[in-house]
Amino acid sequence: MQIRANGSDDQVMRRSGATQTRDREHLGHNFRQENRNSIYAGDLGLGKDTITLRKQQAQKKALKLIQDAWTGDRKVAQSITDIKAKADELQADIEANQEIINQGELQKEALREQYGVEADSQEQKDLELLEKEADMRRLGNGPDGVQLTEEEQNRLKELKDPITGEYKVSLTEYQQRCLEIDSSQSVFERRITAAQQQIEEGYASIRGIRIEQLKHHTMVDAQQNADEIMDQAGKDAIGMLVDEAKDHVDETYEEQREEAKEKAEEKEEQEEKLEDRREEQEKLENRIDARRAESHKAEEARREQEKKAREDSELMEDMAEAGMDVAGSSAEVQAEVKDMLQKMKLLDEDLKGAAVDEEL
């Protein structure tokens, strides 16, 4: 049914156009939203600052391991250098003390020549036995010390009391002076012995350090640990990226779910509005139909009134032509006349119809 739009219809049409515009915008939004279903790594906020900080911390930790190992090795190397330097100093002291001892030996040899003592004389042998006994007291008579033969022990008892240590025989001037030189030499000999012991201890420490270095491989272990730290930092960075990507996916999914929900609510609201518009349009059409029906009835009533008026006018004319006082006739008389004329008219129509039938 074609409906001509009045003022209300224009309003409905304008609202419909606005709704279509919103629908087109909504479709465009949906199209753009569909293009967001794919997730690109470039769209992710991958926490570059956090990852960079984690890598820098790992690099700092790895570098510290290597620096600590290097510093430790340098300290060990410096310790070895210091020990060797000390050993060199001690060796120099030993050589200096040994030189003093050697000078004493030259002095004793000069005294032997001065006093005319033969190298194989008993005086010389007794001096050497007393010197050997002094060495035994200083160094001990163990396996590494000075060992006296039985003959030497018996001769020593003849020369000295083993308990008091006093000489049983008188020493010659040569023997006394040589024993004095030996006494002064013993000081330097003790210094040499102490220095040699320190040198041995120092090199024993170096050997221990070398053995520990072979066991631990400090720099190699530090480098390996540094590599492991950097490798773990890389794995942690990847894990952070994966976690952040998951969070981004979850957020994107939540946004899409919310947008889908809003879209559904929007669609439902639009459908409700469309339904309201359809109802309003249907009511409008019903009102228009009712008005048209009323207008049709009014037109029929008007036509009926016009027909009745014509008939009344014709009746009045007929009555006037018949010499009837139309103006003075009562309404009742006029009605009877009208009824009679109607019947006569119908009879005339019937007669016309009968004539036609006879002609046929």
Side-chain angles (χ1 to χ4, degrees):
M1 175 173 56
Q2 185 68 29
I3 301 175
R4 179 175 295 175
N6 54 16
S8 299
D9 298 335
D10 292 339
Q11 185 178 3
V12 172
M13 294 300 291
R14 286 196 298 273
R15 291 174 60 189
S16 177
T19 302
Q20 291 176 1
T21 301
R22 287 198 302 272
D23 292 341
R24 286 195 297 271
E25 292 176 354
H26 187 68
L27 289 173
H29 173 73
N30 291 340
F31 176 76
R32 292 190 298 272
Q33 183 62 31
E34 289 175 359
N35 288 338
R36 293 178 58 195
N37 289 337
S38 298
I39 297 174
Y40 301 97
D43 296 333
L44 299 176
L46 296 180
K48 294 180 181 178
D49 293 339
T50 303
I51 294 172
T52 301
L53 179 61
R54 180 67 61 85
K55 288 184 177 179
Q56 289 175 349
Q57 290 175 346
Q59 289 174 350
K60 185 176 180 181
K61 186 176 181 181
L63 181 60
K64 187 176 186 306
L65 282 176
I66 295 175
Q67 286 178 341
D68 289 346
W70 183 82
T71 302
D73 283 353
R74 293 296 301 168
K75 287 182 179 179
V76 171
Q78 187 61 44
S79 297
I80 293 175
T81 301
D82 293 342
I83 291 172
K84 288 182 177 180
K86 182 64 176 178
D88 292 339
E89 292 177 3
L90 292 171
Q91 185 61 38
D93 290 341
I94 289 172
E95 292 175 358
N97 290 323
Q98 187 63 47
E99 181 63 24
I100 295 174
I101 292 172
N102 292 338
Q103 290 295 328
E105 293 297 322
L106 292 175
Q107 290 177 5
K108 289 192 297 181
E109 183 63 22
L111 287 173
R112 188 181 67 79
E113 292 178 356
Q114 179 181 350
Y115 287 100
V117 178
E118 298 294 332
D120 58 349
S121 65
Q122 187 63 43
E123 183 180 3
Q124 182 66 30
K125 291 179 179 178
D126 289 342
L127 175 62
E128 293 176 355
L129 178 59
L130 291 173
E131 290 175 341
K132 188 173 182 180
E133 188 266 341
D135 291 338
M136 185 185 69
R137 289 198 307 270
R138 180 171 58 85
L139 301 176
N141 57 359
D144 297 330
V146 178
Q147 299 291 331
L148 296 177
T149 64
E150 184 177 355
E151 182 181 355
E152 290 174 338
Q153 292 177 3
N154 292 330
R155 178 57 183 169
L156 185 60
K157 289 178 181 180
E158 293 176 357
L159 296 174
K160 289 179 68 175
D161 188 328
I163 298 175
T164 61
E166 295 180 357
Y167 291 104
K168 294 179 179 181
V169 297
S170 298
L171 298 179
T172 64
E173 185 178 350
Y174 164 70
Q175 290 175 333
Q176 290 178 358
R177 293 184 64 179
C178 286
L179 289 175
E180 289 175 357
I181 293 174
D182 287 339
S183 177
S184 63
Q185 284 179 327
S186 64
V187 176
F188 301 103
E189 289 175 349
R190 286 194 296 271
R191 291 178 181 176
I192 290 174
T193 301
Q196 289 174 338
Q197 185 177 357
Q198 291 182 45
I199 291 174
E200 290 178 359
E201 292 175 351
Y203 279 105
S205 297
I206 291 175
R207 287 193 297 272
I209 292 171
R210 297 298 188 194
I211 292 172
E212 290 299 318
Q213 286 179 327
L214 292 174
K215 287 181 180 179
H216 296 292
H217 309 289
T218 307
M219 279 301 297
V220 176
D221 294 341
Q223 184 62 52
Q224 183 177 357
N225 292 334
D227 292 340
E228 290 176 357
I229 289 172
M230 293 304 300
D231 182 60
Q232 185 62 42
K235 291 180 180 178
D236 291 342
I238 293 173
M240 291 173 65
L241 291 175
V242 172
D243 291 340
E244 191 161 354
K246 288 180 179 178
D247 293 340
H248 182 78
V249 170
D250 293 340
E251 290 175 0
T252 302
Y253 171 76
E254 184 64 23
E255 289 176 0
Q256 292 177 349
R257 191 177 69 83
E258 290 296 330
E259 289 179 359
K261 182 179 178 181
E262 292 176 1
K263 178 182 175 182
E265 292 176 353
E266 221 176 274
K267 183 178 179 182
E268 183 179 355
E269 184 179 354
Q270 289 176 357
E271 289 178 352
E272 290 177 356
K273 290 180 179 179
L274 289 174
E275 183 64 25
D276 292 340
R277 285 196 293 272
R278 283 196 293 267
E279 291 178 358
E280 290 177 4
Q281 187 174 354
E282 185 176 353
K283 290 178 180 179
L284 179 60
E285 292 175 355
N286 291 334
R287 287 197 300 271
I288 292 173
D289 291 339
R291 289 177 183 176
R292 284 186 174 180
E294 291 175 359
S295 177
H296 182 68
K297 290 180 179 180
E299 182 67 21
E300 288 181 353
R302 185 185 62 77
R303 289 178 181 177
E304 185 66 25
Q305 288 176 358
E306 289 178 354
K307 181 180 179 183
K308 183 178 180 182
R310 286 195 301 270
E311 290 176 353
D312 290 344
S313 177
E314 291 174 358
L315 177 60
M316 294 302 169
E317 290 176 0
D318 292 340
M319 290 176 65
E321 290 177 358
M324 298 177 67
D325 185 6
V326 179
S329 299
S330 64
E332 183 178 352
V333 174
Q334 291 179 5
E336 290 178 357
V337 172
K338 184 179 178 180
D339 183 60
M340 180 182 67
L341 291 175
Q342 286 290 342
K343 291 179 180 179
M344 290 175 64
K345 187 177 180 180
L346 291 174
L347 179 61
D348 184 58
E349 292 294 333
D350 291 338
L351 291 175
K352 289 180 180 179
V356 173
D357 290 337
E358 288 179 357
E359 291 175 2
L360 293 175

